[in-house]
Amino acid sequence: MQKRGARLLSFIGRQEWLDRPSYRFEHLLSYAFNALGGARDRVSNALNGVWLGHPVHPPLASLTSGAIGTTVGLDALSLLPGRPKSELIDASRFASRALGLGILANLGSAVTGVADWQHTHEEDRRIGAVHGLLNLLATGLYIASWLQRRRGRHGRGIVISAVGYAVTAGSSYMGGALVFDSGIGIDQSGRRLRTADWTPVLPVESLKNGKPQRVEVDGVGLVLCRTGSNGDIAAFGEFCPHLAAPMADGWVDRGRLVCPWHGSRFDVCSGEVLRGPSAAPLPRYQTRINDGMIELRNGVAE
């Protein structure tokens, strides 16, 4: 089973014909976000999960699976022979309510999932596109099931929602592969510095304004940058938490350290996210200047 799943994912990842429509769709998303004007960053940060500290899509997807799973379970209960009619009516009624919750959660999951997907590339983008299309199909089936139940056609509604749940299960497998195999939605900022002692890393005069510079301490990569005109210096993790972009290729813009790949922006004084798609903050370390040398150590900067 595992090998079959891997072969399926590999097959989908090779379908380069998916790139053209997916990038066109991404352009439409960009237009939509730009049309929001000054609210763009607030909306994108909300969808990316900056307020939560991690992506919003996974918990909404879990809520969808739980609600629809409850629907399927109650449907199965309502089909058991020999049950009192009152229990069958209750099971049917609560199944419809759980289905309604699942539909709402799935719509929210779709919106937040698209916000995460638009920053993926190549194989991950193709698998994510199929993942999204399957979820869209499942949502359509759940809505159709809900409408059938409202019209009193419970048997037909039960069958349709069961088919939709099977589609969701297949889509969830792809979503799991994107998370656990490709690290989508996982903090990828890399290893943390554990050195407790102040460690000299770089002469202060060699650090340029506005340009992060990579150093290495005990095998851990870090980037140094100036925080402003006052000459203060900050040290951060080497990689962007979003998709492990090398922050040494980024730049400092008005007190913000900018990711070179997808434009995530971090406060140079705290490492907190100011703009997604990264939802997790950038690790920041203590620094000081001693005899013309920049020194740093582990721990959150004070």
PDB file of all heavy atoms in Angstrom, residues 115-152:
ATOM      1  N   ALA A 115      -4.108  29.716   0.116  1.00  0.00           N
ATOM      2  CA  ALA A 115      -3.131  30.714   0.543  1.00  0.00           C
ATOM      3  C   ALA A 115      -1.763  30.082   0.788  1.00  0.00           C
ATOM      4  O   ALA A 115      -0.723  30.694   0.508  1.00  0.00           O
ATOM      5  CB  ALA A 115      -3.624  31.420   1.809  1.00  0.00           C
ATOM      6  N   ASP A 116      -1.744  28.854   1.307  1.00  0.00           N
ATOM      7  CA  ASP A 116      -0.471  28.145   1.510  1.00  0.00           C
ATOM      8  C   ASP A 116       0.076  27.605   0.194  1.00  0.00           C
ATOM      9  O   ASP A 116       1.282  27.648  -0.063  1.00  0.00           O
ATOM     10  CB  ASP A 116      -0.662  26.987   2.494  1.00  0.00           C
ATOM     11  CG  ASP A 116      -1.002  27.459   3.896  1.00  0.00           C
ATOM     12  OD1 ASP A 116      -0.736  28.630   4.207  1.00  0.00           O
ATOM     13  OD2 ASP A 116      -1.550  26.655   4.666  1.00  0.00           O
ATOM     14  N   TRP A 117      -0.805  27.095  -0.646  1.00  0.00           N
ATOM     15  CA  TRP A 117      -0.398  26.437  -1.893  1.00  0.00           C
ATOM     16  C   TRP A 117       0.272  27.384  -2.868  1.00  0.00           C
ATOM     17  O   TRP A 117       1.166  26.997  -3.610  1.00  0.00           O
ATOM     18  CB  TRP A 117      -1.625  25.794  -2.538  1.00  0.00           C
ATOM     19  CG  TRP A 117      -1.409  25.349  -3.954  1.00  0.00           C
ATOM     20  CD1 TRP A 117      -0.884  24.165  -4.372  1.00  0.00           C
ATOM     21  CD2 TRP A 117      -1.722  26.086  -5.144  1.00  0.00           C
ATOM     22  NE1 TRP A 117      -0.853  24.109  -5.736  1.00  0.00           N
ATOM     23  CE2 TRP A 117      -1.355  25.279  -6.238  1.00  0.00           C
ATOM     24  CE3 TRP A 117      -2.275  27.350  -5.377  1.00  0.00           C
ATOM     25  CZ2 TRP A 117      -1.520  25.697  -7.557  1.00  0.00           C
ATOM     26  CZ3 TRP A 117      -2.441  27.766  -6.681  1.00  0.00           C
ATOM     27  CH2 TRP A 117      -2.068  26.946  -7.749  1.00  0.00           C
ATOM     28  N   GLN A 118      -0.126  28.646  -2.894  1.00  0.00           N
ATOM     29  CA  GLN A 118       0.359  29.557  -3.926  1.00  0.00           C
ATOM     30  C   GLN A 118       1.865  29.801  -3.830  1.00  0.00           C
ATOM     31  O   GLN A 118       2.470  30.305  -4.784  1.00  0.00           O
ATOM     32  CB  GLN A 118      -0.385  30.891  -3.855  1.00  0.00           C
ATOM     33  CG  GLN A 118      -0.113  31.698  -2.594  1.00  0.00           C
ATOM     34  CD  GLN A 118      -0.796  33.047  -2.630  1.00  0.00           C
ATOM     35  OE1 GLN A 118      -0.916  33.659  -3.687  1.00  0.00           O
ATOM     36  NE2 GLN A 118      -1.272  33.519  -1.489  1.00  0.00           N
ATOM     37  N   HIS A 119       2.479  29.416  -2.723  1.00  0.00           N
ATOM     38  CA  HIS A 119       3.928  29.618  -2.577  1.00  0.00           C
ATOM     39  C   HIS A 119       4.723  28.323  -2.784  1.00  0.00           C
ATOM     40  O   HIS A 119       5.914  28.279  -2.493  1.00  0.00           O
ATOM     41  CB  HIS A 119       4.234  30.191  -1.192  1.00  0.00           C
ATOM     42  CG  HIS A 119       3.548  31.496  -0.921  1.00  0.00           C
ATOM     43  ND1 HIS A 119       3.883  32.658  -1.580  1.00  0.00           N
ATOM     44  CD2 HIS A 119       2.528  31.812  -0.083  1.00  0.00           C
ATOM     45  CE1 HIS A 119       3.109  33.649  -1.149  1.00  0.00           C
ATOM     46  NE2 HIS A 119       2.281  33.155  -0.250  1.00  0.00           N
ATOM     47  N   THR A 120       4.077  27.274  -3.271  1.00  0.00           N
ATOM     48  CA  THR A 120       4.775  26.021  -3.538  1.00  0.00           C
ATOM     49  C   THR A 120       5.273  25.992  -4.978  1.00  0.00           C
ATOM     50  O   THR A 120       4.914  26.843  -5.797  1.00  0.00           O
ATOM     51  CB  THR A 120       3.855  24.816  -3.288  1.00  0.00           C
ATOM     52  OG1 THR A 120       2.684  24.944  -4.116  1.00  0.00           O
ATOM     53  CG2 THR A 120       3.426  24.754  -1.828  1.00  0.00           C
ATOM     54  N   HIS A 121       6.097  24.978  -5.305  1.00  0.00           N
ATOM     55  CA  HIS A 121       6.710  24.907  -6.617  1.00  0.00           C
ATOM     56  C   HIS A 121       6.815  23.458  -7.095  1.00  0.00           C
ATOM     57  O   HIS A 121       6.831  22.528  -6.291  1.00  0.00           O
ATOM     58  CB  HIS A 121       8.119  25.528  -6.593  1.00  0.00           C
ATOM     59  CG  HIS A 121       8.142  26.939  -6.081  1.00  0.00           C
ATOM     60  ND1 HIS A 121       7.811  28.017  -6.852  1.00  0.00           N
ATOM     61  CD2 HIS A 121       8.449  27.429  -4.852  1.00  0.00           C
ATOM     62  CE1 HIS A 121       7.919  29.133  -6.138  1.00  0.00           C
ATOM     63  NE2 HIS A 121       8.301  28.796  -4.922  1.00  0.00           N
ATOM     64  N   GLU A 122       6.850  23.294  -8.406  1.00  0.00           N
ATOM     65  CA  GLU A 122       7.144  22.032  -9.074  1.00  0.00           C
ATOM     66  C   GLU A 122       6.291  20.887  -8.538  1.00  0.00           C
ATOM     67  O   GLU A 122       5.069  20.968  -8.547  1.00  0.00           O
ATOM     68  CB  GLU A 122       8.648  21.746  -8.989  1.00  0.00           C
ATOM     69  CG  GLU A 122       9.476  22.798  -9.689  1.00  0.00           C
ATOM     70  CD  GLU A 122      10.959  22.542  -9.615  1.00  0.00           C
ATOM     71  OE1 GLU A 122      11.393  21.744  -8.754  1.00  0.00           O
ATOM     72  OE2 GLU A 122      11.696  23.140 -10.424  1.00  0.00           O
ATOM     73  N   GLU A 123       6.939  19.782  -8.074  1.00  0.00           N
ATOM     74  CA  GLU A 123       6.174  18.598  -7.671  1.00  0.00           C
ATOM     75  C   GLU A 123       5.180  18.905  -6.565  1.00  0.00           C
ATOM     76  O   GLU A 123       4.024  18.430  -6.593  1.00  0.00           O
ATOM     77  CB  GLU A 123       7.119  17.473  -7.223  1.00  0.00           C
ATOM     78  CG  GLU A 123       7.919  16.837  -8.328  1.00  0.00           C
ATOM     79  CD  GLU A 123       9.198  17.598  -8.629  1.00  0.00           C
ATOM     80  OE1 GLU A 123       9.406  18.670  -7.996  1.00  0.00           O
ATOM     81  OE2 GLU A 123       9.991  17.136  -9.475  1.00  0.00           O
ATOM     82  N   ASP A 124       5.606  19.693  -5.576  1.00  0.00           N
ATOM     83  CA  ASP A 124       4.700  20.027  -4.479  1.00  0.00           C
ATOM     84  C   ASP A 124       3.493  20.810  -4.976  1.00  0.00           C
ATOM     85  O   ASP A 124       2.362  20.601  -4.515  1.00  0.00           O
ATOM     86  CB  ASP A 124       5.443  20.842  -3.415  1.00  0.00           C
ATOM     87  CG  ASP A 124       6.505  20.035  -2.702  1.00  0.00           C
ATOM     88  OD1 ASP A 124       6.396  18.799  -2.700  1.00  0.00           O
ATOM     89  OD2 ASP A 124       7.443  20.637  -2.155  1.00  0.00           O
ATOM     90  N   ARG A 125       3.723  21.701  -5.913  1.00  0.00           N
ATOM     91  CA  ARG A 125       2.615  22.490  -6.464  1.00  0.00           C
ATOM     92  C   ARG A 125       1.621  21.597  -7.199  1.00  0.00           C
ATOM     93  O   ARG A 125       0.397  21.780  -7.088  1.00  0.00           O
ATOM     94  CB  ARG A 125       3.158  23.562  -7.404  1.00  0.00           C
ATOM     95  CG  ARG A 125       2.085  24.324  -8.182  1.00  0.00           C
ATOM     96  CD  ARG A 125       2.720  25.448  -8.967  1.00  0.00           C
ATOM     97  NE  ARG A 125       3.034  26.544  -8.075  1.00  0.00           N
ATOM     98  CZ  ARG A 125       2.311  27.659  -7.953  1.00  0.00           C
ATOM     99  NH1 ARG A 125       1.224  27.804  -8.695  1.00  0.00           N
ATOM    100  NH2 ARG A 125       2.642  28.610  -7.129  1.00  0.00           N
ATOM    101  N   ARG A 126       2.122  20.625  -7.946  1.00  0.00           N
ATOM    102  CA  ARG A 126       1.243  19.737  -8.714  1.00  0.00           C
ATOM    103  C   ARG A 126       0.434  18.838  -7.790  1.00  0.00           C
ATOM    104  O   ARG A 126      -0.781  18.663  -7.979  1.00  0.00           O
ATOM    105  CB  ARG A 126       2.078  18.908  -9.685  1.00  0.00           C
ATOM    106  CG  ARG A 126       2.794  19.754 -10.732  1.00  0.00           C
ATOM    107  CD  ARG A 126       3.945  19.026 -11.378  1.00  0.00           C
ATOM    108  NE  ARG A 126       4.825  19.960 -12.073  1.00  0.00           N
ATOM    109  CZ  ARG A 126       6.104  19.727 -12.359  1.00  0.00           C
ATOM    110  NH1 ARG A 126       6.669  18.574 -12.004  1.00  0.00           N
ATOM    111  NH2 ARG A 126       6.817  20.639 -12.977  1.00  0.00           N
ATOM    112  N   ILE A 127       1.104  18.269  -6.798  1.00  0.00           N
ATOM    113  CA  ILE A 127       0.377  17.429  -5.843  1.00  0.00           C
ATOM    114  C   ILE A 127      -0.632  18.271  -5.069  1.00  0.00           C
ATOM    115  O   ILE A 127      -1.775  17.849  -4.839  1.00  0.00           O
ATOM    116  CB  ILE A 127       1.365  16.742  -4.881  1.00  0.00           C
ATOM    117  CG1 ILE A 127       2.242  15.750  -5.654  1.00  0.00           C
ATOM    118  CG2 ILE A 127       0.624  16.029  -3.759  1.00  0.00           C
ATOM    119  CD1 ILE A 127       3.378  15.163  -4.839  1.00  0.00           C
ATOM    120  N   GLY A 128      -0.242  19.479  -4.689  1.00  0.00           N
ATOM    121  CA  GLY A 128      -1.160  20.361  -3.981  1.00  0.00           C
ATOM    122  C   GLY A 128      -2.367  20.754  -4.821  1.00  0.00           C
ATOM    123  O   GLY A 128      -3.474  20.889  -4.302  1.00  0.00           O
ATOM    124  N   ALA A 129      -2.142  20.914  -6.129  1.00  0.00           N
ATOM    125  CA  ALA A 129      -3.259  21.261  -7.017  1.00  0.00           C
ATOM    126  C   ALA A 129      -4.274  20.126  -7.074  1.00  0.00           C
ATOM    127  O   ALA A 129      -5.498  20.358  -6.984  1.00  0.00           O
ATOM    128  CB  ALA A 129      -2.735  21.581  -8.416  1.00  0.00           C
ATOM    129  N   VAL A 130      -3.794  18.892  -7.209  1.00  0.00           N
ATOM    130  CA  VAL A 130      -4.704  17.747  -7.239  1.00  0.00           C
ATOM    131  C   VAL A 130      -5.390  17.584  -5.879  1.00  0.00           C
ATOM    132  O   VAL A 130      -6.594  17.293  -5.808  1.00  0.00           O
ATOM    133  CB  VAL A 130      -3.944  16.469  -7.631  1.00  0.00           C
ATOM    134  CG1 VAL A 130      -4.852  15.242  -7.559  1.00  0.00           C
ATOM    135  CG2 VAL A 130      -3.365  16.606  -9.039  1.00  0.00           C
ATOM    136  N   HIS A 131      -4.640  17.789  -4.821  1.00  0.00           N
ATOM    137  CA  HIS A 131      -5.193  17.753  -3.466  1.00  0.00           C
ATOM    138  C   HIS A 131      -6.359  18.743  -3.332  1.00  0.00           C
ATOM    139  O   HIS A 131      -7.439  18.406  -2.814  1.00  0.00           O
ATOM    140  CB  HIS A 131      -4.081  18.079  -2.466  1.00  0.00           C
ATOM    141  CG  HIS A 131      -4.537  18.370  -1.076  1.00  0.00           C
ATOM    142  ND1 HIS A 131      -4.999  17.397  -0.214  1.00  0.00           N
ATOM    143  CD2 HIS A 131      -4.603  19.535  -0.377  1.00  0.00           C
ATOM    144  CE1 HIS A 131      -5.331  17.950   0.955  1.00  0.00           C
ATOM    145  NE2 HIS A 131      -5.100  19.244   0.873  1.00  0.00           N
ATOM    146  N   GLY A 132      -6.164  19.962  -3.832  1.00  0.00           N
ATOM    147  CA  GLY A 132      -7.204  20.976  -3.752  1.00  0.00           C
ATOM    148  C   GLY A 132      -8.412  20.646  -4.610  1.00  0.00           C
ATOM    149  O   GLY A 132      -9.559  20.866  -4.201  1.00  0.00           O
ATOM    150  N   LEU A 133      -8.167  20.120  -5.817  1.00  0.00           N
ATOM    151  CA  LEU A 133      -9.280  19.771  -6.700  1.00  0.00           C
ATOM    152  C   LEU A 133     -10.128  18.646  -6.103  1.00  0.00           C
ATOM    153  O   LEU A 133     -11.361  18.663  -6.212  1.00  0.00           O
ATOM    154  CB  LEU A 133      -8.741  19.362  -8.071  1.00  0.00           C
ATOM    155  CG  LEU A 133      -8.159  20.499  -8.923  1.00  0.00           C
ATOM    156  CD1 LEU A 133      -7.496  19.943 -10.176  1.00  0.00           C
ATOM    157  CD2 LEU A 133      -9.238  21.510  -9.291  1.00  0.00           C
ATOM    158  N   LEU A 134      -9.468  17.681  -5.468  1.00  0.00           N
ATOM    159  CA  LEU A 134     -10.220  16.610  -4.819  1.00  0.00           C
ATOM    160  C   LEU A 134     -11.057  17.148  -3.657  1.00  0.00           C
ATOM    161  O   LEU A 134     -12.211  16.735  -3.457  1.00  0.00           O
ATOM    162  CB  LEU A 134      -9.266  15.524  -4.329  1.00  0.00           C
ATOM    163  CG  LEU A 134      -8.631  14.636  -5.402  1.00  0.00           C
ATOM    164  CD1 LEU A 134      -7.636  13.667  -4.783  1.00  0.00           C
ATOM    165  CD2 LEU A 134      -9.704  13.871  -6.184  1.00  0.00           C
ATOM    166  N   ASN A 135     -10.479  18.070  -2.901  1.00  0.00           N
ATOM    167  CA  ASN A 135     -11.242  18.669  -1.807  1.00  0.00           C
ATOM    168  C   ASN A 135     -12.425  19.473  -2.335  1.00  0.00           C
ATOM    169  O   ASN A 135     -13.507  19.501  -1.723  1.00  0.00           O
ATOM    170  CB  ASN A 135     -10.340  19.586  -0.971  1.00  0.00           C
ATOM    171  CG  ASN A 135      -9.536  18.804   0.058  1.00  0.00           C
ATOM    172  OD1 ASN A 135      -9.897  17.689   0.414  1.00  0.00           O
ATOM    173  ND2 ASN A 135      -8.453  19.388   0.528  1.00  0.00           N
ATOM    174  N   LEU A 136     -12.226  20.135  -3.485  1.00  0.00           N
ATOM    175  CA  LEU A 136     -13.323  20.869  -4.094  1.00  0.00           C
ATOM    176  C   LEU A 136     -14.439  19.918  -4.528  1.00  0.00           C
ATOM    177  O   LEU A 136     -15.631  20.203  -4.324  1.00  0.00           O
ATOM    178  CB  LEU A 136     -12.800  21.658  -5.298  1.00  0.00           C
ATOM    179  CG  LEU A 136     -13.797  22.588  -5.997  1.00  0.00           C
ATOM    180  CD1 LEU A 136     -14.277  23.673  -5.030  1.00  0.00           C
ATOM    181  CD2 LEU A 136     -13.160  23.217  -7.229  1.00  0.00           C
ATOM    182  N   LEU A 137     -14.052  18.794  -5.109  1.00  0.00           N
ATOM    183  CA  LEU A 137     -15.034  17.782  -5.489  1.00  0.00           C
ATOM    184  C   LEU A 137     -15.778  17.256  -4.263  1.00  0.00           C
ATOM    185  O   LEU A 137     -17.016  17.115  -4.275  1.00  0.00           O
ATOM    186  CB  LEU A 137     -14.338  16.634  -6.214  1.00  0.00           C
ATOM    187  CG  LEU A 137     -15.188  15.388  -6.516  1.00  0.00           C
ATOM    188  CD1 LEU A 137     -16.368  15.742  -7.416  1.00  0.00           C
ATOM    189  CD2 LEU A 137     -14.319  14.293  -7.147  1.00  0.00           C
ATOM    190  N   ALA A 138     -15.033  16.972  -3.201  1.00  0.00           N
ATOM    191  CA  ALA A 138     -15.666  16.462  -1.979  1.00  0.00           C
ATOM    192  C   ALA A 138     -16.645  17.489  -1.403  1.00  0.00           C
ATOM    193  O   ALA A 138     -17.747  17.130  -0.956  1.00  0.00           O
ATOM    194  CB  ALA A 138     -14.592  16.117  -0.949  1.00  0.00           C
ATOM    195  N   THR A 139     -16.248  18.767  -1.428  1.00  0.00           N
ATOM    196  CA  THR A 139     -17.144  19.809  -0.916  1.00  0.00           C
ATOM    197  C   THR A 139     -18.440  19.858  -1.707  1.00  0.00           C
ATOM    198  O   THR A 139     -19.532  19.992  -1.142  1.00  0.00           O
ATOM    199  CB  THR A 139     -16.448  21.181  -0.976  1.00  0.00           C
ATOM    200  OG1 THR A 139     -15.228  21.137  -0.226  1.00  0.00           O
ATOM    201  CG2 THR A 139     -17.349  22.261  -0.401  1.00  0.00           C
ATOM    202  N   GLY A 140     -18.329  19.735  -3.043  1.00  0.00           N
ATOM    203  CA  GLY A 140     -19.531  19.701  -3.875  1.00  0.00           C
ATOM    204  C   GLY A 140     -20.435  18.530  -3.524  1.00  0.00           C
ATOM    205  O   GLY A 140     -21.673  18.668  -3.477  1.00  0.00           O
ATOM    206  N   LEU A 141     -19.833  17.375  -3.265  1.00  0.00           N
ATOM    207  CA  LEU A 141     -20.614  16.202  -2.880  1.00  0.00           C
ATOM    208  C   LEU A 141     -21.288  16.406  -1.523  1.00  0.00           C
ATOM    209  O   LEU A 141     -22.458  16.025  -1.333  1.00  0.00           O
ATOM    210  CB  LEU A 141     -19.712  14.970  -2.846  1.00  0.00           C
ATOM    211  CG  LEU A 141     -19.204  14.475  -4.206  1.00  0.00           C
ATOM    212  CD1 LEU A 141     -18.143  13.396  -4.028  1.00  0.00           C
ATOM    213  CD2 LEU A 141     -20.372  13.933  -5.048  1.00  0.00           C
ATOM    214  N   TYR A 142     -20.587  17.035  -0.581  1.00  0.00           N
ATOM    215  CA  TYR A 142     -21.181  17.270   0.738  1.00  0.00           C
ATOM    216  C   TYR A 142     -22.360  18.240   0.637  1.00  0.00           C
ATOM    217  O   TYR A 142     -23.391  18.054   1.303  1.00  0.00           O
ATOM    218  CB  TYR A 142     -20.134  17.833   1.700  1.00  0.00           C
ATOM    219  CG  TYR A 142     -18.999  16.886   1.988  1.00  0.00           C
ATOM    220  CD1 TYR A 142     -17.700  17.351   2.162  1.00  0.00           C
ATOM    221  CD2 TYR A 142     -19.214  15.514   2.081  1.00  0.00           C
ATOM    222  CE1 TYR A 142     -16.653  16.486   2.427  1.00  0.00           C
ATOM    223  CE2 TYR A 142     -18.185  14.635   2.336  1.00  0.00           C
ATOM    224  CZ  TYR A 142     -16.893  15.126   2.505  1.00  0.00           C
ATOM    225  OH  TYR A 142     -15.853  14.273   2.763  1.00  0.00           O
ATOM    226  N   ILE A 143     -22.215  19.261  -0.179  1.00  0.00           N
ATOM    227  CA  ILE A 143     -23.324  20.207  -0.362  1.00  0.00           C
ATOM    228  C   ILE A 143     -24.523  19.505  -1.000  1.00  0.00           C
ATOM    229  O   ILE A 143     -25.676  19.702  -0.588  1.00  0.00           O
ATOM    230  CB  ILE A 143     -22.865  21.402  -1.215  1.00  0.00           C
ATOM    231  CG1 ILE A 143     -21.823  22.225  -0.450  1.00  0.00           C
ATOM    232  CG2 ILE A 143     -24.053  22.281  -1.601  1.00  0.00           C
ATOM    233  CD1 ILE A 143     -21.198  23.354  -1.258  1.00  0.00           C
ATOM    234  N   ALA A 144     -24.239  18.664  -2.013  1.00  0.00           N
ATOM    235  CA  ALA A 144     -25.321  17.915  -2.655  1.00  0.00           C
ATOM    236  C   ALA A 144     -26.006  16.989  -1.651  1.00  0.00           C
ATOM    237  O   ALA A 144     -27.241  16.859  -1.635  1.00  0.00           O
ATOM    238  CB  ALA A 144     -24.776  17.115  -3.829  1.00  0.00           C
ATOM    239  N   SER A 145     -25.208  16.355  -0.799  1.00  0.00           N
ATOM    240  CA  SER A 145     -25.775  15.469   0.220  1.00  0.00           C
ATOM    241  C   SER A 145     -26.652  16.251   1.184  1.00  0.00           C
ATOM    242  O   SER A 145     -27.760  15.804   1.546  1.00  0.00           O
ATOM    243  CB  SER A 145     -24.649  14.769   0.982  1.00  0.00           C
ATOM    244  OG  SER A 145     -25.153  14.020   2.065  1.00  0.00           O
ATOM    245  N   TRP A 146     -26.185  17.410   1.605  1.00  0.00           N
ATOM    246  CA  TRP A 146     -26.953  18.229   2.548  1.00  0.00           C
ATOM    247  C   TRP A 146     -28.289  18.647   1.926  1.00  0.00           C
ATOM    248  O   TRP A 146     -29.337  18.621   2.586  1.00  0.00           O
ATOM    249  CB  TRP A 146     -26.125  19.450   2.935  1.00  0.00           C
ATOM    250  CG  TRP A 146     -26.745  20.283   4.028  1.00  0.00           C
ATOM    251  CD1 TRP A 146     -26.687  20.059   5.376  1.00  0.00           C
ATOM    252  CD2 TRP A 146     -27.496  21.486   3.849  1.00  0.00           C
ATOM    253  NE1 TRP A 146     -27.361  21.034   6.047  1.00  0.00           N
ATOM    254  CE2 TRP A 146     -27.875  21.932   5.137  1.00  0.00           C
ATOM    255  CE3 TRP A 146     -27.890  22.223   2.735  1.00  0.00           C
ATOM    256  CZ2 TRP A 146     -28.620  23.086   5.335  1.00  0.00           C
ATOM    257  CZ3 TRP A 146     -28.635  23.377   2.932  1.00  0.00           C
ATOM    258  CH2 TRP A 146     -28.994  23.797   4.217  1.00  0.00           C
ATOM    259  N   LEU A 147     -28.260  19.012   0.649  1.00  0.00           N
ATOM    260  CA  LEU A 147     -29.496  19.410  -0.031  1.00  0.00           C
ATOM    261  C   LEU A 147     -30.461  18.239  -0.157  1.00  0.00           C
ATOM    262  O   LEU A 147     -31.682  18.394   0.019  1.00  0.00           O
ATOM    263  CB  LEU A 147     -29.167  19.972  -1.418  1.00  0.00           C
ATOM    264  CG  LEU A 147     -28.438  21.321  -1.435  1.00  0.00           C
ATOM    265  CD1 LEU A 147     -28.037  21.686  -2.859  1.00  0.00           C
ATOM    266  CD2 LEU A 147     -29.302  22.416  -0.819  1.00  0.00           C
ATOM    267  N   GLN A 148     -29.930  17.054  -0.458  1.00  0.00           N
ATOM    268  CA  GLN A 148     -30.789  15.871  -0.562  1.00  0.00           C
ATOM    269  C   GLN A 148     -31.451  15.564   0.775  1.00  0.00           C
ATOM    270  O   GLN A 148     -32.636  15.201   0.833  1.00  0.00           O
ATOM    271  CB  GLN A 148     -29.970  14.672  -1.036  1.00  0.00           C
ATOM    272  CG  GLN A 148     -29.482  14.753  -2.466  1.00  0.00           C
ATOM    273  CD  GLN A 148     -30.626  14.749  -3.463  1.00  0.00           C
ATOM    274  OE1 GLN A 148     -31.674  14.123  -3.254  1.00  0.00           O
ATOM    275  NE2 GLN A 148     -30.445  15.456  -4.577  1.00  0.00           N
ATOM    276  N   ARG A 149     -30.711  15.707   1.861  1.00  0.00           N
ATOM    277  CA  ARG A 149     -31.274  15.448   3.184  1.00  0.00           C
ATOM    278  C   ARG A 149     -32.379  16.464   3.508  1.00  0.00           C
ATOM    279  O   ARG A 149     -33.383  16.117   4.115  1.00  0.00           O
ATOM    280  CB  ARG A 149     -30.161  15.508   4.236  1.00  0.00           C
ATOM    281  CG  ARG A 149     -29.128  14.401   4.108  1.00  0.00           C
ATOM    282  CD  ARG A 149     -27.879  14.725   4.945  1.00  0.00           C
ATOM    283  NE  ARG A 149     -26.780  13.843   4.630  1.00  0.00           N
ATOM    284  CZ  ARG A 149     -26.407  12.801   5.367  1.00  0.00           C
ATOM    285  NH1 ARG A 149     -27.064  12.491   6.458  1.00  0.00           N
ATOM    286  NH2 ARG A 149     -25.369  12.064   5.009  1.00  0.00           N
ATOM    287  N   ARG A 150     -32.139  17.732   3.127  1.00  0.00           N
ATOM    288  CA  ARG A 150     -33.140  18.763   3.366  1.00  0.00           C
ATOM    289  C   ARG A 150     -34.442  18.469   2.620  1.00  0.00           C
ATOM    290  O   ARG A 150     -35.531  18.859   3.073  1.00  0.00           O
ATOM    291  CB  ARG A 150     -32.594  20.119   2.911  1.00  0.00           C
ATOM    292  CG  ARG A 150     -31.431  20.642   3.732  1.00  0.00           C
ATOM    293  CD  ARG A 150     -31.882  21.299   5.000  1.00  0.00           C
ATOM    294  NE  ARG A 150     -32.613  22.528   4.740  1.00  0.00           N
ATOM    295  CZ  ARG A 150     -33.147  23.296   5.664  1.00  0.00           C
ATOM    296  NH1 ARG A 150     -33.060  22.941   6.939  1.00  0.00           N
ATOM    297  NH2 ARG A 150     -33.791  24.407   5.346  1.00  0.00           N
ATOM    298  N   ARG A 151     -34.329  17.772   1.492  1.00  0.00           N
ATOM    299  CA  ARG A 151     -35.509  17.437   0.690  1.00  0.00           C
ATOM    300  C   ARG A 151     -36.134  16.110   1.098  1.00  0.00           C
ATOM    301  O   ARG A 151     -37.053  15.618   0.447  1.00  0.00           O
ATOM    302  CB  ARG A 151     -35.123  17.393  -0.787  1.00  0.00           C
ATOM    303  CG  ARG A 151     -34.704  18.751  -1.340  1.00  0.00           C
ATOM    304  CD  ARG A 151     -34.017  18.626  -2.669  1.00  0.00           C
ATOM    305  NE  ARG A 151     -33.567  19.935  -3.156  1.00  0.00           N
ATOM    306  CZ  ARG A 151     -32.720  20.107  -4.165  1.00  0.00           C
ATOM    307  NH1 ARG A 151     -32.210  19.050  -4.791  1.00  0.00           N
ATOM    308  NH2 ARG A 151     -32.367  21.323  -4.545  1.00  0.00           N
ATOM    309  N   GLY A 152     -35.607  15.525   2.183  1.00  0.00           N
ATOM    310  CA  GLY A 152     -36.162  14.284   2.680  1.00  0.00           C
ATOM    311  C   GLY A 152     -35.617  13.030   2.027  1.00  0.00           C
ATOM    312  O   GLY A 152     -36.074  11.923   2.336  1.00  0.00           O
TER     313      GLY A 152
END
